[in-house]
Amino acid sequence: MEEHAGGSVRTVFAHRDYRFLLPGFAISAVGDWLYGVSLVVLVYDRTHSAGWVAAVTITRLIPYVVFGAFGGVLADRYERRSLMLICDLARAALMILLAVLVTAIDSLWPLIVIAFLTSAASTPYQPAMYAITPAIVGEQDLAAANAVSNSVEHIAILLGPALGGILLLLGPPAVAFALNGVSFLISGACVWAIATRSSGSRTEEDEQEVGLKERLRQGFRAILDSNEVSMLVLLLGVGTFVYGQQVVMLVLISKRLIGTGSEGVGFLNAAVGFGGVVIAGFSNRMARATHPALLFASGVLATGVPLALVAFATLPVLAYALMAVTGAGSILLEVTGLTMLQRSLSNEVMGRVFGVLTSLFVGSLLLGSLVTPILIDAISLKGTLVLAGLILPVVILFALPSLRSLDRSSVARMQALAGRVNELGRLSIFAGAARQTLETIASVMTEESAEPGTDVIREGDPADDFFVVRDGELDVVAVGELGTSPRKVNSLGPGDYFGEIGLLEGIPRTASVRAVTPTRLYRISGSDFLDTVNRTPALSMTLLDGAVGRLARTHPSHEPTFTPKEAT
């Protein structure tokens, strides 16, 4: 059984509430994909218009862009189990209403409005789920729980569209919508059975929002100041644009080219998901590649060329195989591209750049969906497929010099950090962390030693840095909020960490940490630590859950103000 941060998949399922949480999430994820496929088929069957398909696709995406951050705020401010239950009930009601309206009216506008509302109702669910997980499984099994959730997401991408295709074989889209409504009721029942309660902070985060425009400006500047980084971002953006085109064209491929009708749309989506699931299992190997630019170029070709060839596919099985290759190519392009980007940017601006990338990529996806109907009307479906498939290979021809330059710098950085990365990977806190995350941490940390009797940090001092124990033993001693004599509250050894509470909470040190034996430590500055936490959900959840437990030992009346949103 695969181990993650001291826990395993087996021990995760020993937690009663997790045995309810995971099925609820799995059903919700599968339902989202099933319903999406059925809605696209319904719209196309009624309109035979790629423009309407694009409109409904954009309508379903916009709420995640507009309300995504707000969903995270809700997950921070309200009791998470109740919030998840409300999301499930709202989505169930909307799906059942959609099933009724589909059979009662011909107009598409009410259906599009329901699609928008369903996406809006979904935005708080996943942030709330990730926020309640630490309280359910505990620190020891948290990374394993996140790994299981990740696997469920990938399986949903494969299973949801395939199930949608089967349902479309058995009946009209209304059947799929009704069943999806029932699935959300089942998910709600699973959430209702969860006994754990978890609430976030109600503190306003105005200070965090003030610098948003400035951070975006700095992110754009960091991209534009480097020709190599600019070219890589362009290629990743074009890849997202092509994916937006693909989303719209799948229903037309099934209906017009390979003759598989409505049900074929689900199977085409499932083929894309299958290819992505297979290649995703090799993501850490991709990050270790000695020539990432070669892998990136392979991802570009694997994404584009099969999509162009689908224009000439006459057999469904050939189209499915080509779309599976496209799905694998998209993941290969994304993983290697982001890895090269991470290795090319300084840690000081990386968070800003990735904030900019999120906006750019969502915009590219929406633009791809928007222009596809126009292209189909102008040059036909086959012509649009060929054009979409060849965009990336053509662009990469001009990008080869920049990619080679990035390749050299990426390999040099990887080799320089290899020793530290391997050592970090053996520590329990970083078990299961992506190679890119370990490289980021290794590039900013410093090594230091402490002799027996030395206080590494002192209770009451300002919180500055985060520490990981490389070897040796330390005692955690605290007076605590009661103001009594100092007492030992914990012992630390190799692979343990400390210093996170003050950084996450913004308060002075809550305990002293004293070396008992000769000790070697890794020190990570507070700003670098928080930047890394912001980009690493599994690590952030582990730290947050551990911080809550540790804070309770020394300051039991102190209500934490840090929340998963701040670290994810």
Side-chain angles (χ1 to χ4, degrees), residues 202-338:
R202 296 176 183 270
T203 302
E204 294 294 332
E205 297 176 323
D206 294 338
E207 182 180 347
Q208 186 177 2
E209 300 299 326
V210 169
L212 177 60
K213 290 183 179 178
E214 175 61 19
R215 288 196 297 272
L216 287 174
R217 186 183 66 81
Q218 292 174 351
F220 275 111
R221 189 172 61 201
I223 293 171
L224 297 175
D225 284 347
S226 168
N227 291 333
E228 291 82 4
V229 171
S230 299
M231 186 59 69
L232 188 57
V233 169
L234 173 63
L235 285 165
L236 289 168
V238 172
T240 311
F241 174 86
V242 171
Y243 179 74
Q245 292 185 285
Q246 175 184 301
V247 169
V248 174
M249 288 191 290
L250 285 179
V251 64
L252 282 77
I253 293 170
S254 180
K255 291 274 194 172
R256 296 185 187 177
L257 295 185
I258 59 176
T260 52
S262 300
E263 64 277 5
V265 182
F267 298 136
L268 283 169
N269 274 287
V272 175
F274 175 77
V277 168
V278 170
I279 199 68
F282 298 93
S283 58
N284 261 346
R285 292 188 184 181
M286 296 178 213
R288 293 190 184 97
T290 55
H291 294 288
L294 180 61
L295 274 183
F296 183 79
S298 301
V300 167
L301 294 175
T303 300
V305 174
L307 188 61
L309 292 176
V310 169
F312 308 101
T314 55
L315 298 176
V317 66
L318 179 57
Y320 298 150
L322 290 169
M323 294 311 301
V325 176
T326 293
S330 297
I331 298 299
L332 182 59
L333 185 154
E334 178 183 346
V335 170
T336 54
L338 293 180

Side-chain angles (χ1 to χ4, degrees), residues 96-138:
I96 292 172
L97 177 60
L98 183 60
V100 172
L101 288 178
V102 163
T103 59
I105 63 174
D106 293 328
S107 174
L108 288 178
W109 286 110
L111 311 186
I112 290 179
V113 170
I114 291 176
F116 180 90
L117 293 175
T118 301
S119 294
S122 298
T123 55
Y125 186 92
Q126 196 159 335
M129 186 204 74
Y130 279 116
I132 199 175
T133 300
I136 289 177
V137 303

Side-chain angles (χ1 to χ4, degrees), residues 10 181 307 311 350 399 408 476 506 540:
R10 178 178 56 81
L307 188 61
M350 197 177 299
R408 288 191 293 270
V476 182
S540 66

